[in-house]
Amino acid sequence: MSSIIQLLPDHVANQIAAGEVVQRPASVVKELLENAVDAKATDIKLIIKDAGKSLVQVIDNGVGMSVTDARMCFERHATSKIRQAEDLFSLYTKGFRGEALASIAAIAHVEMKTRQEQEELGTHIIIEGSKFVSQDVAVLPRGTSFAVKNLFFNIPARRNFLKSETVEHRHIVDEFQRVALAHPNIHFTYYHNGGELFNLPPSNFRQRIVNILGGKTNEKLVPVKEETEIVSIAGFVTKPEFSKKNRGEQFFFVNDRFIKSGYLHHAIMAAYEGLLKDGCQPGYFLYLQVPPNTIDINIHPTKTEIKFDDEHALYAILRSAVKHSLGQFNVSPVLDFERDSNLDTPYAYKDTEASFPTIQVDGNFNPFADEKPNRHYAADSRRNSRAETSSWEGLYVGLKHDTEMSFEGRSSQQSMTDVSEMQFESEEVNASLFDDSDIEKAVNKTYQIHKKYIVNPIKSGMVIVDQQRAHQRVLYEQFLTNMTVFQAASQQLLFPLNLYFSSGEMELVHELKPALSNTGFVFDQNAEDHIVISGIPVNVTESEVSIVLEQLISDLQDGIPENSFSQTDSIAKSMARSLAVKTGTYLTEKEQENLVNGLFACKEPNVSPFQKPTFITMRVEDLDKKFAI
């Protein structure tokens, strides 16, 4: 029987490896930027076309490569960082596996130009699908230029799984920001479809954060610094009042490498305990320096997860450092034991003896002695009382004569009236305890239970409505109708609102502007780091605008649907979730009735926009069974 196991060809093995290394255009951006940083570049340019599907190009002024290295870098597991297995535990660079360029070349058209500083001429190599097309000598500037074109050209199934250009571009921006934040000493420039999006000059950590996320970020930052034998911590956290619903502004860097760690994130949340609103997330930009032999960065293909030797100590140090910074800068409430200078003894009275109070007693005082009244006062009081009496006695002049005349007229009238002909009004006695109108009101009355459910009696029993889900359904259909019919009403603001967002969020807001305008939002002039809103929908208050937009951005972070109806549906759902009355909110009887009537006027009152039941019914028979013995 012949053997059935055989070695895969190199180009097939490279395509399989590309499945782990290259998931989307952002993966190519990450690998090429990290290679440029490892090449000791001080100026790096990133050029993107069509969200990386057509072109991803990285140009640096690093050390460059020789002719042999330029050819060898595309071989599998070819690297300049590793010589022996022990080197894996003393890594100070990023790219060390030597499989990134080989994987990229297997699924794209790659053009590389490189030259070392001491060389007069450089090397120009073109590779298509792991096949070397050409290798020439060329006059080039110092450094390296990688151009990756037509990504996944030979794997159409993988290309079809890519999201819309907006989503893919957002992932590229995320990777660019992570590398740029980790290396503020490098000048980064980012171009997309011919336009410059970022121009980040060399700076310190704080200025780099502000340049990426906008000028308003500076007032949000609280510095954090801690030096220990285990770890060195530096960076910034945001003030609690600037917390958001999403986790977009959360960055951990370990030895200048971006990582994701739920364990360290929990330490930050523990430091913010009692300072954040429900569901809100703090922002942080923390740089950790640890000995390379105490971490393992080779546990995940994307190298974004790290294994620490002593996680418990790192957790405690990070939590205490953040908590100390929040208290030091008066962000979190602390007990103040400082002495108030106003309570100190003045200098002039420092050596003065205290004076004791004295008591004076009148020995001739007799509480039982008769007091003689003041004659003048008594005379004046009698005179005033007499004057007042003369004034009100005049009111009754002639009253006796009028009274006698009225009695005489009444007696003569009574003599002319026969008592037998008089009709007395009798009150009809009703056997029922309640009026019919009261009974009808009681039947239609709604009741709120635990500020969560609304109970409404019906003929067959009762209906129990979930107030939050019911309001979501009502608002969802209202927003959907307004956006599809283009008849949304808007209310003008006396003072326009200026809302600041990061560059990635601003791009998302610009993408959503047409749909938001159909809901009633009115946008004024555009700006790079903020939007100006002069009108809002009638059912949105001014204080809710920022909450609605932040929730909308958070819900659509994973991608904006390409279909216009799906995009409208997603926006309507997100706004309904933000504006719906929450569990725990007290509703008046009129509000309860309006909510119930609005729910049953919807097209699909049975479920919320998120396919959860909005109400249940209980029949009288079901209640009878509960009381059955």
Side-chain angles (χ1 to χ4, degrees), residues 180-197:
L181 286 172
H183 303 277
N185 58 325
I186 300 177
H187 184 193
F188 286 92
T189 314
Y190 181 18
Y191 301 92
H192 182 233
N193 291 338
E196 183 182 273
L197 294 186

Side-chain angles (χ1 to χ4, degrees), residues 566-621:
S566 299
Q567 180 178 350
T568 302
D569 182 72
S570 300
I571 296 174
K573 286 181 179 178
S574 178
M575 295 182 64
R577 188 209 307 267
S578 302
L579 297 174
V581 61
K582 302 297 185 293
T583 298
T585 303
Y586 172 75
L587 300 179
T588 63
E589 184 177 346
K590 190 65 176 177
E591 291 173 338
Q592 297 171 28
E593 293 179 359
N594 292 337
L595 181 56
V596 173
N597 294 334
L599 173 64
F600 290 103
C602 295
K603 296 180 179 179
E604 297 182 7
N606 297 327
V607 293
S608 70
F610 308 99
Q611 302 304 313
K612 295 182 179 179
T614 57
F615 67 92
I616 60 173
T617 57
M618 292 190 67
R619 301 177 302 170
V620 177
E621 293 81 359

Side-chain angles (χ1 to χ4, degrees), residues 438-458 461-467 470 586-600 615:
D438 295 336
I439 297 176
E440 185 177 355
K441 290 180 181 179
V443 171
N444 296 327
K445 185 177 178 62
T446 58
Y447 305 91
Q448 189 180 28
I449 300 178
H450 295 295
K451 299 180 182 179
K452 184 176 182 180
Y453 300 108
I454 299 174
V455 179
N456 187 25
I458 57 177
M462 62 180 176
V463 176
I464 304 177
V465 180
D466 188 309
Q467 65 183 31
Y586 172 75
L587 300 179
T588 63
E589 184 177 346
K590 190 65 176 177
E591 291 173 338
Q592 297 171 28
E593 293 179 359
N594 292 337
L595 181 56
V596 173
N597 294 334
L599 173 64
F600 290 103
F615 67 92

Side-chain angles (χ1 to χ4, degrees), residues 8 44 53 90 94-95 133 143 172 191 303 305 307 314 331 341 415 420 465 492 596:
L8 289 173
I44 300 176
K53 298 177 183 180
S90 59
K94 293 177 171 57
V133 176
I172 293 175
Y191 301 92
K303 293 174 286 187
E305 296 181 9
K307 177 65 177 176
L314 191 61
V331 175
S341 59
S415 61
S420 61
V465 180
Q492 285 297 116
V596 173

Side-chain angles (χ1 to χ4, degrees), residues 413-576:
Q413 183 178 2
Q414 288 179 353
S415 61
M416 297 172 60
T417 304
D418 189 1
V419 179
S420 61
E421 296 179 356
M422 296 180 62
Q423 296 182 356
F424 298 92
E425 184 178 357
S426 63
E427 182 177 356
E428 183 180 356
V429 180
N430 193 353
S432 176
L433 295 175
F434 304 100
D435 192 8
D436 292 339
S437 59
D438 295 336
I439 297 176
E440 185 177 355
K441 290 180 181 179
V443 171
N444 296 327
K445 185 177 178 62
T446 58
Y447 305 91
Q448 189 180 28
I449 300 178
H450 295 295
K451 299 180 182 179
K452 184 176 182 180
Y453 300 108
I454 299 174
V455 179
N456 187 25
I458 57 177
K459 292 182 179 180
S460 60
M462 62 180 176
V463 176
I464 304 177
V465 180
D466 188 309
Q467 65 183 31
Q468 182 173 357
R469 295 179 183 177
H471 200 204
Q472 287 177 355
R473 165 54 64 178
V474 174
L475 292 177
Y476 167 72
E477 294 198 1
Q478 288 179 0
F479 287 127
L480 205 59
T481 302
N482 293 338
M483 286 188 285
T484 53
V485 184
F486 307 106
Q487 293 181 350
S490 178
Q491 53 181 341
Q492 285 297 116
L493 296 176
L494 184 61
F495 301 102
L497 288 176
N498 295 325
L499 301 180
Y500 291 83
F501 297 98
S502 63
S503 58
E505 293 173 341
M506 281 295 298
E507 186 177 358
L508 197 59
V509 171
H510 289 313
E511 184 77 13
L512 299 174
K513 266 189 177 181
L516 291 175
S517 299
N518 294 335
T519 63
F521 284 98
V522 179
F523 297 92
D524 278 356
Q525 69 272 14
N526 297 329
E528 293 183 358
D529 59 344
H530 71 280
I531 58 175
V532 181
I533 299 177
S534 59
I536 58 178
V538 292
N539 51 355
V540 179
T541 61
E542 186 175 348
S543 60
E544 294 175 331
V545 174
S546 60
I547 300 175
V548 170
L549 292 182
E550 287 181 5
Q551 182 66 46
L552 180 61
I553 292 174
S554 177
D555 291 342
L556 298 179
Q557 282 291 332
D558 293 335
I560 304 176
E562 297 182 1
N563 190 334
S564 60
F565 176 76
S566 299
Q567 180 178 350
T568 302
D569 182 72
S570 300
I571 296 174
K573 286 181 179 178
S574 178
M575 295 182 64

Side-chain angles (χ1 to χ4, degrees), residues 24-321:
R24 54 185 359 130
S27 304
V28 178
V29 172
K30 175 180 181 295
E31 298 292 345
L32 296 183
L33 287 178
E34 289 180 349
N35 286 343
V37 172
D38 288 342
K40 301 178 182 179
T42 59
D43 192 329
I44 300 176
K45 295 181 177 63
L46 174 63
I47 302 173
I48 300 295
K49 288 185 179 179
D50 299 331
K53 298 177 183 180
S54 299
L55 174 66
V56 174
Q57 186 175 8
V58 174
I59 304 173
D60 66 70
N61 62 347
V63 296
M65 288 183 285
S66 64
V67 178
T68 304
D69 291 343
R71 186 66 180 261
M72 283 290 296
C73 71
F74 291 100
E75 299 295 332
R76 292 195 66 199
H77 305 304
T79 177
S80 61
K81 320 294 175 53
I82 304 297
R83 292 292 182 267
Q84 53 189 357
E86 287 74 13
D87 294 341
L88 290 171
F89 302 99
S90 59
L91 290 172
Y92 291 92
T93 56
K94 293 177 171 57
F96 59 87
R97 290 177 178 168
E99 58 184 354
L101 295 181
S103 300
I104 294 171
I107 56 175
H109 297 167
V110 178
E111 182 179 1
M112 183 186 72
K113 300 176 181 179
T114 182
R115 182 181 74 85
Q116 293 179 324
E117 185 176 8
Q118 66 274 14
E119 300 291 337
E120 294 183 359
L121 299 176
T123 305
H124 181 199
I125 295 178
I126 298 177
I127 301 176
E128 297 179 358
S130 296
K131 296 179 181 180
F132 278 84
V133 176
S134 64
Q135 179 176 343
D136 301 318
V137 178
V139 178
L140 302 170
R142 181 177 69 91
T144 305
S145 170
F146 269 99
V148 179
K149 306 175 183 178
N150 303 323
L151 193 64
F152 300 123
F153 78 98
N154 53 356
I155 312 178
R158 176 66 69 86
R159 191 178 182 90
N160 293 334
F161 273 104
L162 295 179
K163 303 292 185 181
S164 63
E165 287 192 8
T166 304
V167 178
E168 296 298 338
H169 181 243
R170 184 178 60 81
H171 285 288
I172 293 175
V173 171
D174 290 343
E175 294 293 347
F176 174 81
Q177 290 180 351
R178 292 167 183 175
V179 178
L181 286 172
H183 303 277
N185 58 325
I186 300 177
H187 184 193
F188 286 92
T189 314
Y190 181 18
Y191 301 92
H192 182 233
N193 291 338
E196 183 182 273
L197 294 186
F198 291 97
N199 191 347
L200 309 176
S203 60
N204 55 23
F205 286 133
R206 189 183 196 114
Q207 190 61 41
R208 177 56 59 88
I209 295 171
V210 173
N211 289 339
I212 290 179
L213 299 180
K216 285 291 182 178
T217 309
N218 190 33
E219 63 186 40
K220 306 178 185 178
L221 301 179
V222 176
V224 177
K225 190 171 184 61
E226 189 69 33
E227 295 281 347
T228 65
E229 297 179 356
I230 300 176
V231 61
S232 174
I233 302 175
F236 303 90
V237 295
T238 58
K239 298 177 182 178
E241 59 265 28
F242 295 103
S243 60
K244 297 183 177 181
K245 295 288 185 180
N246 58 357
R247 300 176 59 173
E249 297 180 358
Q250 296 180 350
F251 297 89
F252 278 119
F253 300 96
V254 176
N255 295 355
D256 296 335
R257 182 191 302 273
F258 171 80
I259 69 162
K260 297 178 181 178
S261 176
Y263 190 69
L264 297 182
H265 172 74
H266 191 275
I268 303 295
M269 296 299 293
Y272 275 90
E273 185 178 3
L275 301 177
L276 299 175
K277 300 178 182 178
D278 293 339
C280 291
Q281 296 283 336
Y284 50 80
F285 309 84
L286 297 176
Y287 301 84
L288 284 67
Q289 293 291 332
V290 298
N293 58 352
T294 62
I295 59 175
D296 184 3
I297 58 179
N298 200 28
I299 64 174
H300 195 273
T302 60
K303 293 174 286 187
T304 55
E305 296 181 9
I306 290 181
K307 177 65 177 176
F308 297 94
D309 283 352
D310 193 353
E311 289 186 339
H312 296 288
L314 191 61
Y315 180 98
I317 295 172
L318 182 61
R319 176 181 175 274
S320 61

